[in-house]
Amino acid sequence: MAIIDLTNITKIYTMGDTTVHALAGVTLAIHNGEFAAIIGPSGSGKSTLMNILGCLDQPTGGSYRLDGAEVATLNDTQLAATRNQKIGFVFQNFNLLPRMSALQNVALPLIYAGVNKKSRLEKAARNLAAVGLADRKDHRPTELSGGQRQRVAIARALINAPPIIIADEPTGNLDTKSSNEIMEIFCRLNQQGRTVIMVTHEPDIAAYARRVIHVRDGKITQDEMKQEVDGCS
Ligand code: ADP
Ligand code: ADP
């Protein structure tokens, strides 16, 4: 069974008397353990699709079954609960809180999950160590390189052990060396069984994914499954 199953998803934005069909009927199944890249020109609907996949926003129409349960009809509270359980997010701009240490940033989602402080900090320290940042736990984001910041963001995304990682241009602000290091982390997470879905503009980054889904004008125009993947070591 597909972990993600979209059927005829539409998203219409209305502003005054202007209507934008950001998604014009997207049908897409992603199976547990896949590593997929979504690519397409600016304005093609990639972010809208990611927001719906990540339960940050609801479609105007269609069905979205996530891990077997229909989510397109959930209210905001139910949607947030599903999101916290199922999805880990990684963003282009890292989205770390500047006044908090790396450790506190990673531990943050556990506050909302009701975990006690001692367990939060222990778990966050383990996750930081898993991304090679054990010796940077007391640093604030400004005291870390871009690649290190993104590793903190990945450790945070994994803290509730979500089965799905959604990454929106995760290497957009990084140099080539850091980008490749971040992509190797996604490779490892995928090899450990997590489903990884990322949006990227860069062919070199899309090359890490086994499946490349092309979006244009709110529709999927091409869906490639590669026999050989150049990226992951
Ligand atoms: P991409 O991520 O591929 O650049 P988007 O999903 O951001 O594309 O946008 C798809 C279309 O929907 C664009 O025409 C964009 O202007 C429009 N759009 C996106 N978000 C909104 C919004 N919140 N309100 C109105 N229009 C939007
Ligand atoms: P566990 O059996 O507790 O998941 P692991 O050592 O596999 O033990 O992972 C400890 C924590 O680190 C978990 O929360 C896991 O999600 C996270 N983690 C595991 N592998 C990685 C990785 N490659 N990068 C970042 N975090 C990871």
Side-chain angles (χ1 to χ4, degrees), residues 75-90:
N75 67 32
D76 286 352
T77 313
Q78 294 167 321
L79 196 65
T82 302
R83 181 167 68 232
N84 292 336
Q85 248 186 337
K86 305 281 185 196
I87 318 274
F89 290 98
V90 177

Side-chain angles (χ1 to χ4, degrees), residues 123 126-132 151 154-155 158-162 184-185 188-189 192 194:
K123 209 167 172 219
R126 276 207 303 277
N127 272 32
L128 270 181
V131 295
R151 284 192 271 154
I154 291 172
L158 293 170
I159 198 88
N160 284 319
E184 284 297 333
I185 293 177
R188 260 196 293 142
L189 296 175
Q192 290 168 357
R194 291 181 184 80

Side-chain angles (χ1 to χ4, degrees), residues 13-15 20-22 40-49 199:
Y13 293 111
T14 311
M15 289 167 300
V20 177
H21 291 256
S42 180
S44 58
K46 301 183 297 296
S47 298
T48 303
L49 179 57
V199 163

Side-chain angles (χ1 to χ4, degrees), residues 88-206:
F89 290 98
V90 177
F91 302 97
Q92 177 170 5
N93 297 319
F94 322 125
N95 284 16
L96 300 175
L97 296 180
R99 292 177 184 285
M100 288 193 175
S101 68
L103 189 71
Q104 289 169 323
N105 267 284
V106 174
L108 199 61
L110 295 175
I111 295 180
Y112 305 114
V115 177
N116 73 55
K117 188 168 182 184
K118 184 162 175 285
S119 307
R120 287 203 301 269
L121 297 181
E122 282 172 4
K123 209 167 172 219
R126 276 207 303 277
N127 272 32
L128 270 181
V131 295
L133 289 179
D135 58 348
R136 293 287 188 277
K137 66 182 171 55
D138 297 323
H139 288 56
R140 289 187 181 183
T142 51
E143 299 165 332
L144 298 170
S145 71
Q148 290 171 334
R149 289 181 207 186
Q150 195 59 300
R151 284 192 271 154
V152 173
I154 291 172
R156 181 185 54 187
L158 293 170
I159 198 88
N160 284 319
I164 302 169
I165 304 293
I166 289 188
D168 197 350
E169 300 278 1
T171 60
N173 282 325
L174 302 179
D175 59 38
T176 306
K177 182 166 175 285
S178 303
S179 295
N180 292 334
E181 286 167 6
I182 293 300
M183 292 315 301
E184 284 297 333
I185 293 177
F186 286 124
C187 290
R188 260 196 293 142
L189 296 175
N190 178 244
Q191 286 157 3
Q192 290 168 357
R194 291 181 184 80
T195 305
V196 178
I197 306 167
M198 66 172 174
V199 163
T200 181
H201 275 97
E202 299 165 66
D204 289 358
I205 296 301

